[in-house]
Amino acid sequence: MASIPHGDSLAAAPAAKPTRRKKLLKYLGYAALGSLAVALAAHVLWVRSGSGEWQLVRDENGVKVWSLKAPGQARLLVRGGVQVEKTRIASMIWMLESVSVGCKDAYCYDADVIDKMPSVPGHYAAYFKFKYDIPGATTRQYVLLQQHWQDPASKVAVVDLNAAPNRLPRDPCCVRVSHLHNTWRFDPKANGDLYVELTQDTDMGELPYPLANLLLTKITYQYMYELPGLLKKDIYRNAHVDDIQEVDYWSRLSRAESAPVPATGS
């Protein structure tokens, strides 16, 4: 016959639950510390890694995207390239420098030139600003110095963008992007095509670098993919920039279009 527990045994039984709870919390603490250690180790390994060379990461729909991981850096440099048929350099430069118009096609807004700087012939420099929304994150505001120049021999033109975060007072609406050095390069071809290349060195402003690296790669591909279609718009196709020289293809085309049509016999 089973014996009946004494009263003091019954009183001690509920203490087992707090003991199990303490053990569970201890195990969760160990797990959290372990996860933190793994994350820290992964971060250190990532920062130390990198070949310092451009690696092709996407080749699709005529667009190529490369990334470069430099040892000691967490952020990737990202480069995109696409060849656009029958496009003038002036079309690209006008789109980039007419920011209030071009921003409408580049997912940015509240764009304006702040100050156009005096410069020598063949060189343009101006400060401008715009805002850019990232879903689920605070709006980013960019204040940049934009410059362009062209090699008269090859006709290759460059638009260079650098962050100028202190050019304007901070706007409480947004995160001001403090690091950006992006370069557009336009290499015209003899047949009228234009090879467009964009290299981005951008801190997207308080985003964790794994997310920022992923976003920058995706955004670069998407914009380069859409670019040929954008440049077909009349506002860009017919644009003119005073100090930009085009390849001979465009002058020959202009002469052919303006030549009188021979009269036909009756």
Side-chain angles (χ1 to χ4, degrees):
M1 182 175 177
S3 60
I4 299 174
H6 294 292
D8 56 349
S9 299
L10 288 173
K17 290 186 178 179
T19 300
R20 286 197 295 270
R21 189 177 297 115
K22 287 180 181 179
K23 287 183 178 180
L24 178 60
L25 291 174
K26 183 167 69 172
Y27 292 147
L28 289 175
Y30 288 152
L33 288 173
S35 298
L36 181 61
V38 169
L40 181 59
H43 167 74
V44 171
L45 289 173
W46 170 254
V47 171
R48 290 180 177 178
S49 70
S51 65
E53 297 180 353
W54 289 103
Q55 306 288 335
L56 183 66
V57 295
R58 190 167 184 179
D59 185 353
E60 188 177 346
N61 298 314
V63 176
K64 291 185 177 182
V65 178
W66 299 263
S67 68
L68 184 150
K69 172 66 179 69
Q73 297 293 325
R75 292 193 314 270
L76 293 176
L77 305 186
V78 178
R79 173 178 292 168
V82 65
Q83 186 137 321
V84 187
E85 293 182 353
K86 304 299 182 284
T87 299
R88 294 180 299 117
I89 303 170
S91 299
M92 270 298 324
I93 291 182
W94 191 90
M95 181 173 68
L96 292 173
E97 294 178 355
S98 301
V99 292
S100 59
V101 178
C103 235
K104 295 176 183 177
D105 290 318
Y107 310 106
C108 53
Y109 62 97
D110 193 20
D112 198 10
V113 173
I114 303 165
D115 191 15
K116 187 174 179 180
M117 309 299 291
S119 58
V120 298
H123 182 272
Y124 168 92
Y127 290 94
F128 74 103
K129 67 179 179 71
F130 64 88
K131 293 175 182 174
Y132 184 83
D133 288 335
I134 298 175
T138 305
T139 297
R140 268 58 185 163
Q141 184 183 48
Y142 294 78
V143 181
L144 307 176
L145 171 62
Q146 179 168 255
Q147 303 177 75
H148 82 235
W149 57 84
Q150 184 178 31
D151 176 44
S154 67
K155 304 294 193 298
V156 170
V158 172
V159 172
D160 192 65
L161 300 163
N162 280 277
N166 299 319
R167 190 72 183 184
L168 287 180
R170 303 284 165 148
D171 189 330
C173 74
C174 311
V175 172
R176 178 72 56 83
V177 172
S178 60
H179 176 84
L180 179 147
H181 183 199
N182 292 354
T183 304
W184 289 89
R185 185 176 182 274
F186 310 118
D187 186 358
K189 306 303 178 183
N191 66 349
D193 290 356
L194 183 67
Y195 180 73
V196 178
E197 186 177 85
L198 169 62
T199 301
Q200 300 201 73
D201 176 6
T202 303
D203 181 351
M204 300 189 74
E206 299 182 5
L207 281 182
Y209 68 79
L211 178 59
N213 289 339
L214 178 63
L215 277 176
L216 192 61
T217 303
K218 287 183 173 293
I219 289 169
T220 301
Y221 170 80
Q222 189 63 32
Y223 189 67
M224 302 304 276
Y225 172 72
E226 295 177 2
L227 190 59
L230 292 178
L231 290 169
K232 291 179 181 178
K233 292 185 175 184
D234 287 343
I235 194 170
Y236 303 133
R237 191 165 54 87
N238 299 324
H240 175 76
V241 178
D242 287 339
D243 60 350
I244 292 299
Q245 301 176 40
E246 305 289 350
V247 292
D248 291 342
Y249 171 88
W250 295 103
S251 57
R252 292 197 304 270
L253 181 65
S254 178
R255 288 195 296 270
E257 291 177 343
S258 60
V261 178
T264 56
S266 56

